[in-house]
Amino acid sequence: MALSTFTSFADVDHLDNWVELAKKIKDNPFQFQDWGRNKTLGLIFLNPSLRTRLSTQKAALNLGMQVMVMNMNQDGWAIEMEDGTVMNAGTQEHIKEAAGVISQYCDIIGIRTFPGLKDRGEDYAENIMNKFLAHATVPVVSLESATRHPLQSFADVLTIEETKNKSKPKVVLSWAPHPRALPQAVSNSFVEWMIGARANLVITNPEGWDLSKNFTRDTPVLHNQEEALQGADFVYTKNWSSFENYGAIATGKENWMITKAKLSHTNEAKFMHCLPVRRNVVVADEVLDSPASLVLEQANNRTFAAQTVLLKMLGYEG
Ligand code: CP
């Protein structure tokens, strides 16, 4: 049966098979071109994007699909999310019609939403994504939601699988400083997929910046970064604003930036980040520009992760 929804790791039936299919696609990206003939992918963005936008378009084109992209916030009508609203103020079109209409034009829809980072309950309820899912009548792929970024995580798993030189490498997710409040989505999702992959994962972040227990479960969380980095084979770095004091930005924690000296505690670890990254805030140039950095390969693998998901939505079961 064709994959109908891709919003989290829960939509993955057998991760090993998905990774093998992604590798097969990477070996020859055009081998499934017939699957997308006369099919249209619609990509709806409520937020900015470089990698997700281009890699998902490329994935669809590699499959022979047509692609339409819309920046909903800039080019569309203001969308009403609540049911029963008397729409006599700012919003002009209800999500029911918007999702229903886009479904008339597309065989698969991708949508990106971001959290407001003001109301934790609202963000973690995934209201926008869930409303869109409820009213779309074709398969929907998450291009990142308020709490998860599954296409990024799939590409990250693929990158680790391709790069590792031992069966169970130590993977450290290390919090990083950042001047703005960022979502927890990439980190939540990375943890979710690493647990799904039965990886040897350790998380390190300052006190008060623990991720939700619903995502970390029994993963070790260390507040001492140097201790966590000992013997790491992969260091995945990402900022996230506080879950506990929701949306708060950490100050005075510049020394959490990843440097060459920090990586000297590791097992010659590879450095990972989803991008975009703020140089010399999150990670020092000396790391990002070194052979240890996998960031461009992660970005490259976004295409093959997206292509795997789209191919499964088109009904491929191999
Ligand atoms: N990593 C990622 O999702 O990048 P964009 O926000 O540029 O799509």
Side-chain angles (χ1 to χ4, degrees):
M1 210 168 67
L3 181 69
S4 61
T5 307
F6 181 75
T7 60
S8 79
F9 184 76
D11 297 312
V12 179
D13 49 5
H14 299 289
L15 181 59
D16 291 348
N17 296 353
W18 283 49
V19 169
E20 284 315 306
L21 180 55
K23 286 181 181 171
K24 185 175 169 178
I25 289 169
K26 190 172 180 177
D27 281 345
N28 176 5
F30 307 114
Q31 63 190 298
F32 297 107
Q33 278 239 317
D34 288 344
W35 282 82
R37 187 180 300 138
N38 299 331
K39 302 283 185 190
T40 301
L41 173 69
L43 299 177
I44 309 298
F45 286 88
L46 281 82
N47 304 90
S49 166
L50 188 161
R51 279 141 293 273
T52 306
R53 174 185 305 254
L54 296 184
S55 64
T56 312
Q57 282 190 60
K58 186 173 175 193
L61 295 173
N62 286 351
L63 290 169
M65 300 182 81
Q66 309 287 323
V67 190
M68 299 190 294
V69 184
M70 184 165 182
N71 300 314
M72 190 75 108
N73 281 350
Q74 290 155 28
D75 304 331
W77 303 108
I79 300 292
E80 176 60 50
M81 294 290 169
E82 299 305 320
D83 291 334
T85 311
V86 177
M87 288 172 55
N88 60 0
T91 55
Q92 295 151 312
E93 175 153 35
H94 200 278
I95 186 76
K96 284 185 185 177
E97 283 77 51
V101 168
I102 297 165
S103 300
Q104 306 303 310
Y105 308 143
C106 302
D107 299 282
I108 300 173
I109 303 171
I111 180 162
R112 168 175 277 201
T113 69
F114 263 20
L117 294 173
K118 301 269 185 273
D119 182 332
R120 188 170 85 182
E122 193 175 295
D123 288 344
Y124 274 72
E126 291 284 9
N127 286 334
I128 300 176
M129 181 60 73
N130 287 336
K131 288 239 162 90
F132 199 88
L133 284 167
H135 299 298
T137 57
V138 298
V140 174
V141 51
S142 166
L143 305 173
E144 187 169 355
S145 68
T147 65
R148 290 182 171 92
H149 196 350
L151 283 177
Q152 179 67 54
S153 305
F154 185 15
D156 296 337
V157 168
L158 175 59
T159 307
I160 291 173
E161 283 301 313
E162 286 178 329
T163 312
K164 70 184 188 183
N165 56 17
K166 61 175 75 155
S167 63
K168 215 169 165 100
K170 179 177 176 182
V171 180
V172 176
L173 172 63
S174 183
W175 180 91
H178 200 281
R180 294 183 59 190
L182 296 189
Q184 292 114 24
V186 167
S187 310
N188 285 343
S189 215
F190 184 70
V191 170
E192 192 168 63
W193 284 65
M194 285 289 102
I195 291 173
R198 296 185 180 80
N200 174 14
L201 177 67
V202 172
I203 303 170
T204 182
N205 54 259
E207 288 192 35
W209 263 260
D210 287 5
L211 294 165
S212 164
K213 261 293 196 192
N214 288 338
F215 283 94
T216 60
R217 297 192 227 168
D218 55 3
T219 305
V221 178
L222 304 182
H223 297 134
N224 181 328
Q225 188 188 39
E226 191 174 314
E227 184 188 346
L229 291 175
Q230 298 291 333
D233 298 293
F234 293 88
V235 176
Y236 196 108
T237 304
K238 183 74 184 79
N239 170 267
W240 59 88
S241 56
S242 178
F243 175 77
E244 191 179 308
N245 182 14
Y246 195 63
I249 305 169
T251 53
K253 302 198 186 304
E254 290 76 13
N255 63 346
W256 277 76
M257 179 173 76
I258 294 295
T259 60
K260 211 169 163 184
K262 295 262 179 78
L263 291 188
S264 70
H265 302 296
T266 69
N267 181 28
E268 298 182 356
K270 296 294 186 188
F271 173 81
M272 299 180 74
H273 190 284
C274 62
L275 303 180
V277 69
R278 290 190 183 231
R279 283 175 172 261
N280 304 309
V281 174
V282 170
V283 55
D285 283 343
E286 63 193 11
V287 174
L288 203 50
D289 295 332
S290 78
S293 176
L294 295 179
V295 297
L296 294 185
E297 200 50 39
Q298 286 174 263
N300 184 33
N301 281 336
R302 291 292 307 272
T303 300
F304 311 113
Q307 208 169 324
T308 302
V309 172
L310 294 175
L311 186 59
K312 286 181 173 289
M313 287 186 163
L314 291 167
Y316 182 79
E317 292 181 8

